[in-house]
Structures are given as C-alpha cells and as structure tokens.
Amino acid sequence: AKWSQATHPNGWPTGAKFSPLVIATHSYKYKMWSDMTRASPGVKEVAEKGMEGTLYNEVMMMKKPGFVSNVYKTGMVSTPDGDTSTKIMVQNMYSMVSLITMIAPSPDWFVGVDSYDLCGPNGWKEMMTMNLLPWDAGTDSGRNFTSENMETNPVDVIKRITSSSDTQMGADADKVFATVTFTRGEMITDSAPGLSAGLLAFLSVSMLAIMGVLY
C-alpha cells in the first residue's frame, strides 16, 4: 500500500479511503484540473465530498465542442490499500487522460493525473506507472484530515501539498499516496462514420492506492 498508517502516520484518519475515480480522455484543448488554476465546481465537489456527479456532467459538456472523447467513473476504493480498475479508450487526437479522486476524509485534498499524453513520438505507450502526490483544491482551509468545513474566501488556486504546507500531513505530504498504471491493450481500426480514420487504444486503469488503466 502507498497510503497507510505505517507509512503516513501524521494525523492518520479513521475510515481512510479514496473516492470513485473520474477519468476523462481528451484533446490538448481540455483541462480537468491543473496546478495554479481555480477548481471548477465539479473538482471542488470531488475534492471536498468525494461526489463525482457534477464533475462527470462538466466533462460530458465538453464532448459537444469536441474537446473530450469519453468520461468514465470507477467504484470507490474503500480502503487506502485497496484497488480499482477500468478500461478506457483513447484515439488519435484524444490521446490525453486526466483523472481525480478524493483523499478521504480531508478538507479538499485529492490525487490525480493532469493531461497525460498516452501517445508518444513512437506511437502508443505500452505501459506507464505514475506515483501520485497530494493536492489541495484551494476551496477549504482545513488543516487536518477531519477538520470542520472552513470555506476558503476568496477561493485559492490548486496547489501541491508539500511538507512545508500548513497541514497536518507534515513530512507525509512528500510521500506517494497512490499509484496509477496505464497499460496498453488491444488496438483496433476505427471506421465508425463521422470519426477520422485512426486507431483506438483500450486502456486498463487500476488504482491501489494503486490505480490501473488498460487502453
């Protein structure tokens, strides 16, 4: 496990878990979240409450202008050393993936991936494992995992939580909380009407305090 009482003892909360993942495959024109930007209402809801409905709808709205290909949800990771997995599809111009899950309980802390390109100069990447560190959504000023709601006013920007941040995590903030693995699966030729010819890649995502994705 990555996030555990043994490895991350500072302020260890009862009932530690990760919320359901929200995953989007998209073009370079879309951002689910990113460093030093303000969280959308959907990202805020995931980071503070672990609720994915608003963010899911936000991402779906970006399909119409062609910025997003698909959006996926996984089950909750009910223990910090648990896992979840899913299959996603990426395609030519929609080769990027973003995801987010709440570190729960917490004021507004999360782990995630920001616009990672699964296609490199030599084609689709076979496998990539990423270590995920904690982020603060900038919407709640609580310092502890179980702090009462303290809405940040004015709203701050999304920032990495580090050992120098004013949180109960202390040095634990510089440790890996989760790992996501993207694994390439079978590729098929795309000939669907209305879509440019290209290749579809099926990705498997797993989160265990490791998340895995197969594409």
Side-chain angles (χ1 to χ4, degrees):
K2 300 297 179 181
W3 181 33
S4 70
Q5 188 169 11
T7 58
H8 300 64
N10 294 337
W12 178 258
T14 300
K17 59 182 179 288
F18 292 98
S19 70
L21 277 73
V22 179
I23 306 169
T25 55
H26 57 90
S27 73
Y28 71 92
K29 294 182 179 180
Y30 172 74
K31 282 282 189 182
M32 177 185 286
W33 65 272
S34 61
D35 189 18
M36 301 304 291
T37 64
R38 285 190 169 83
S40 70
V43 168
K44 177 181 187 290
E45 194 170 75
V46 170
E48 291 187 3
K49 301 177 181 178
M51 298 171 61
E52 72 278 9
T54 300
L55 179 58
Y56 184 88
N57 291 335
E58 286 178 359
V59 180
M60 287 293 290
M61 289 289 290
M62 292 295 102
K63 291 185 70 171
K64 187 172 183 179
F67 299 157
V68 167
S69 175
N70 285 295
V71 58
Y72 307 83
K73 294 186 290 186
T74 72
M76 179 179 294
V77 184
S78 57
T79 61
D81 58 350
D83 61 44
T84 188
S85 64
T86 192
K87 290 183 179 180
I88 66 173
M89 185 178 71
V90 289
Q91 175 193 6
N92 41 51
M93 68 177 287
Y94 301 110
S95 61
M96 291 187 168
V97 61
S98 294
L99 63 84
I100 186 171
T101 176
M102 177 191 185
I103 297 172
S106 74
D108 62 341
W109 304 338
F110 68 92
V111 295
V113 173
D114 171 26
S115 304
Y116 180 73
D117 198 341
L118 292 164
C119 190
N122 298 316
W124 296 108
K125 298 171 183 177
E126 293 294 331
M127 180 180 286
M128 174 58 67
T129 296
M130 304 174 70
N131 290 327
L132 306 184
L133 296 167
W135 290 82
D136 188 316
T139 59
D140 190 296
S141 298
R143 297 179 60 252
N144 305 331
F145 285 98
T146 55
S147 291
E148 295 293 325
N149 289 335
M150 298 173 58
E151 185 170 350
T152 302
N153 190 10
V155 173
D156 203 348
V157 294
I158 295 170
K159 296 176 185 174
R160 255 273 291 124
I161 302 173
T162 68
S163 56
S164 60
S165 300
D166 185 23
T167 73
Q168 189 180 35
M169 287 190 199
D172 291 347
D174 294 334
K175 300 174 183 177
V176 174
F177 270 64
T179 301
V180 62
T181 299
F182 299 97
T183 308
R184 178 181 165 184
E186 180 183 2
M187 298 179 71
I188 61 174
T189 302
D190 169 33
S191 56
L195 293 178
S196 48
L199 291 175
L200 302 180
F202 289 93
L203 194 81
S204 176
V205 182
S206 249
M207 161 140 185
L208 173 164
I210 295 187
M211 306 165 205
V213 183
L214 184 74
Y215 68 100

